[in-house]
Amino acid sequence: MGDCCETEQGVYVDSLLNLEWLRKSLVREEDSIIFSLIERSKYPINSRLYDESAAASLLHLFIKESEAVQAKTGRYTSPEENAFFPASLPPPQHKLVETFGTYQVLHPSGACININSKILNHYLNTLIPLVAAKGDDDRNYAATAASDLACLQALSRRIHYGKFVAEVKFRDSPQDYTPAILAKDREGLMKLLTFESVEEAIKKRVEKKAMVFGQEVELQENGNYYKVKPELVSQLYGEWVIPLTKFVQVEYLLRRLD
Amino acid sequence: MGDCCETEQGVYVDSLLNLEWLRKSLVREEDSIIFSLIERSKYPINSRLYDESAAASLLHLFIKESEAVQAKTGRYTSPEENAFFPASLPPPQHKLVETFGTYQVLHPSGACININSKILNHYLNTLIPLVAAKGDDDRNYAATAASDLACLQALSRRIHYGKFVAEVKFRDSPQDYTPAILAKDREGLMKLLTFESVEEAIKKRVEKKAMVFGQEVELQENGNYYKVKPELVSQLYGEWVIPLTKFVQVEYLLRRLD
């Protein structure tokens, strides 16, 4: 219960650059991602929600307006949060949050990396058709959009943690990364950041989590039906979440010596 | 995946008055409630979020503005949804949803029953201190508020399903309920709606779900730590969710012959 109750600014900033805290946060975020995908699977695709043929899609408007409400509540003063539509977000607007500054935890030119448009595209085009059943239930567009936003925010947080991971790794051994950064050697950096056995373990763990969290729990034992296919979550991590997190790390490191 | 993909208005309305569909929805809503409580437990209490000493609390503003965004997306045209601050919600505001009418599935004088202020009070005063650890992490007020809203909406949906359950039960055997309704006999109605063995089974099932969904999943088996105490969820259902759902049913039935 409440595994991140830092009370002081200093403690909070320190924890963002503490590898053990980051590891724990990444593992905990797996649960949030899987819960949110299972919740999204309650609704059919509802593809009209994403239709951009006339003007902006209903989802687009929903996310934009929801992010404005969350910005007023101070969400984007946290370096862990990246908006999907960061242009023209309102500032914090309540005495409790309006004095919040923005923490400078990261190297400034890397701090602003935001690959949410990539995440949104991939989510809309690849993930939703795999998670949601075909069909349309027009009464639930708002609930569907809210659950899309929860998925997107959880994925975005996980993937952008790559910035903190890269900063910690760089601080731990700048000599390992500096030559590749100076040579703008993306491939070399990717190699330095790749640990296949760790990635395999993550993929197995999220598959197991999807089996545990997505099962139909009855008082009597029952069959093996899962709300979201466990192998899909493993695939999501293997083909998408892990590569994008590393992409963020590489981009961050390339700017680390600016 | 996608267990509610009705495509036609008639099918959707019918399903709301189908006891098997309702039973499934109530069972599925247990998962949503438990997921949302587990997500809330990521953050400490953050009690300043609820502070009403100056004006409206930050949570109050957050819910009000979020509900306005969701109303524009058509959320409250669904008879399954009840707003926490229903006064002055904007109408649906996108070509996809602005022609939505409101379904008349329920008896009109009972359809507008809304006990969300009771749910909000109980949530703030009783549930949060049991689910969240002590402490404050001011960077996460917006994320905390968003997760409060998810809990509140899931609880509200579950509890207000009582209206549909009451309608179905009344239609099935009006002769059983009519005398008590005419006599305004709350206690008698409560007795007619109480099935202790069913309630015991629900309490056991939600406790089991909280154990399954709230565990720390590791590749190796580990100890018995749960993010939200399973017995707390059973208690929540026994002392609160089930009684409030029955309260909604009684209130609904009392108006059923208006």
Side-chain angles (χ1 to χ4, degrees):
Chain A
M1 300 208 241
D3 53 330
C4 97
C5 41
E6 316 302 343
T7 44
E8 286 170 67
Q9 191 156 317
V11 177
Y12 177 77
V13 172
D14 285 353
S15 67
L16 284 172
L17 296 179
N18 172 303
L19 204 56
E20 184 50 27
W21 185 90
L22 278 171
R23 201 196 64 83
K24 267 188 164 173
S25 300
L26 289 168
V27 169
R28 180 61 185 81
E29 202 63 23
E30 292 165 4
D31 300 17
S32 298
I33 289 170
I34 294 166
F35 290 159
S36 66
L37 291 174
I38 292 171
E39 287 300 276
R40 177 61 184 84
S41 78
K42 276 167 86 170
Y43 309 105
I45 290 189
N46 283 336
S47 53
R48 289 191 292 168
L49 185 56
Y50 313 110
D51 180 15
E52 294 176 339
S53 62
S57 71
L58 185 53
L59 181 74
H60 183 115
L61 291 178
F62 179 83
I63 295 179
K64 223 172 151 172
E65 297 197 358
S66 298
E67 287 192 330
V69 173
Q70 302 204 353
K72 290 191 210 168
T73 321
R75 186 175 192 113
Y76 304 104
T77 61
S78 162
E80 291 169 76
E81 301 291 344
N82 297 272
F84 282 82
F85 300 107
S88 67
L89 281 176
Q93 271 172 37
H94 185 280
K95 67 175 169 37
L96 202 54
V97 290
E98 64 197 0
T99 58
F100 279 4
T102 308
Y103 287 127
Q104 279 300 350
V105 189
L106 298 163
H107 190 70
S109 51
C112 57
I113 289 169
N114 181 337
I115 65 162
N116 275 340
S117 63
K118 218 184 257 283
I119 294 173
L120 182 58
N121 277 339
H122 199 107
Y123 178 78
L124 294 178
N125 299 321
T126 310
L127 198 53
I128 289 180
L130 294 172
V131 168
K134 285 194 175 67
D136 195 290
D137 65 347
D138 57 16
R139 287 294 128 175
N140 285 317
Y141 288 158
T144 306
S147 99
D148 283 330
L149 181 58
C151 291
L152 287 164
Q153 287 180 329
L155 287 163
S156 170
R157 201 158 40 236
R158 197 296 179 188
I159 289 166
H160 288 98
Y161 272 136
K163 292 191 258 185
F164 301 100
V165 174
E167 176 65 23
V168 171
K169 286 183 174 171
F170 181 83
R171 287 196 191 184
D172 271 3
S173 46
Q175 69 285 358
D176 290 356
Y177 298 96
T178 301
I181 294 172
L182 293 172
K184 298 191 195 308
D185 178 7
R186 279 198 159 74
E187 230 172 279
L189 285 171
M190 196 56 98
K191 247 184 218 159
L192 286 170
L193 296 167
T194 299
F195 300 91
E196 273 175 27
S197 64
V198 175
E199 293 181 9
E200 281 310 309
I202 293 174
K203 282 160 60 185
K204 273 190 200 139
R205 188 174 57 232
V206 293
E207 183 165 349
K208 188 171 169 190
K209 283 185 175 182
M211 290 174 69
V212 171
F213 300 151
Q215 66 187 296
E216 300 279 343
V217 177
E218 300 278 358
L219 287 176
Q220 279 75 42
E221 292 306 316
N222 63 346
N224 285 325
Y225 168 83
Y226 301 111
K227 299 183 191 92
V228 169
K229 282 189 191 137
E231 62 272 24
L232 167 67
V233 178
S234 167
Q235 193 190 348
L236 164 73
Y237 262 75
E239 294 177 12
W240 189 39
V241 175
I242 293 173
L244 280 183
T245 308
K246 290 198 291 183
F247 175 79
V248 168
Q249 292 185 55
V250 169
E251 291 303 310
Y252 183 87
L253 287 170
L254 286 171
R255 304 179 193 189
R256 185 55 182 80
L257 298 173
D258 287 359
Chain B
M1 300 207 242
D3 53 328
C4 98
C5 41
E6 317 302 343
T7 44
E8 288 170 65
Q9 191 157 316
V11 177
Y12 176 76
V13 172
D14 285 352
S15 68
L16 284 173
L17 296 181
N18 172 302
L19 204 56
E20 185 50 27
W21 186 90
L22 278 172
R23 202 196 64 82
K24 268 188 165 172
S25 300
L26 288 169
V27 168
R28 180 62 185 80
E29 202 62 23
E30 290 164 5
D31 300 19
S32 299
I33 289 170
I34 293 166
F35 290 159
S36 66
L37 291 175
I38 292 171
E39 287 300 274
R40 177 60 184 86
S41 78
K42 277 167 87 172
Y43 309 106
I45 290 190
N46 283 337
S47 52
R48 289 191 293 170
L49 185 56
Y50 313 111
D51 179 15
E52 294 177 339
S53 62
S57 71
L58 185 53
L59 181 75
H60 183 116
L61 292 177
F62 180 83
I63 295 178
K64 222 172 152 172
E65 296 197 357
S66 298
E67 288 192 330
V69 173
Q70 302 204 353
K72 289 191 210 169
T73 319
R75 186 176 192 113
Y76 303 104
T77 62
S78 162
E80 291 169 77
E81 300 290 345
N82 297 272
F84 283 83
F85 300 108
S88 66
L89 281 175
Q93 271 171 37
H94 185 279
K95 66 174 170 34
L96 201 55
V97 289
E98 62 197 2
T99 59
F100 279 3
T102 308
Y103 287 127
Q104 279 299 351
V105 188
L106 298 165
H107 190 70
S109 51
C112 57
I113 289 170
N114 181 336
I115 65 161
N116 274 341
S117 64
K118 220 185 256 283
I119 295 173
L120 183 57
N121 276 338
H122 200 106
Y123 177 79
L124 294 177
N125 299 321
T126 310
L127 198 54
I128 290 180
L130 293 171
V131 167
K134 285 195 175 67
D136 195 287
D137 66 347
D138 56 17
R139 285 296 127 176
N140 284 318
Y141 288 158
T144 306
S147 98
D148 282 330
L149 181 58
C151 292
L152 286 165
Q153 287 179 330
L155 288 164
S156 171
R157 201 157 40 237
R158 197 297 177 188
I159 289 166
H160 288 98
Y161 272 136
K163 292 190 258 185
F164 301 101
V165 175
E167 177 65 23
V168 172
K169 286 184 175 172
F170 180 84
R171 287 195 191 184
D172 271 3
S173 44
Q175 69 285 359
D176 290 355
Y177 297 96
T178 301
I181 296 173
L182 293 173
K184 298 190 196 309
D185 177 6
R186 282 197 156 75
E187 230 171 281
L189 287 170
M190 195 55 96
K191 248 185 217 158
L192 287 170
L193 298 166
T194 299
F195 300 91
E196 271 175 28
S197 65
V198 175
E199 294 181 11
E200 280 310 308
I202 294 174
K203 282 159 61 184
K204 274 191 198 136
R205 187 173 59 232
V206 294
E207 182 164 351
K208 188 171 170 191
K209 283 185 176 183
M211 290 175 70
V212 170
F213 300 151
Q215 67 188 292
E216 300 279 343
V217 177
E218 299 280 355
L219 288 176
Q220 280 73 42
E221 293 305 317
N222 65 346
N224 285 323
Y225 168 82
Y226 301 111
K227 298 185 192 92
V228 169
K229 282 189 192 136
E231 63 273 24
L232 167 67
V233 178
S234 165
Q235 193 191 348
L236 164 72
Y237 262 74
E239 293 178 12
W240 188 39
V241 175
I242 294 173
L244 281 183
T245 307
K246 290 197 293 183
F247 174 80
V248 168
Q249 292 185 55
V250 170
E251 291 303 310
Y252 183 86
L253 287 170
L254 285 172
R255 304 179 193 188
R256 186 57 183 76
L257 298 173
D258 287 0

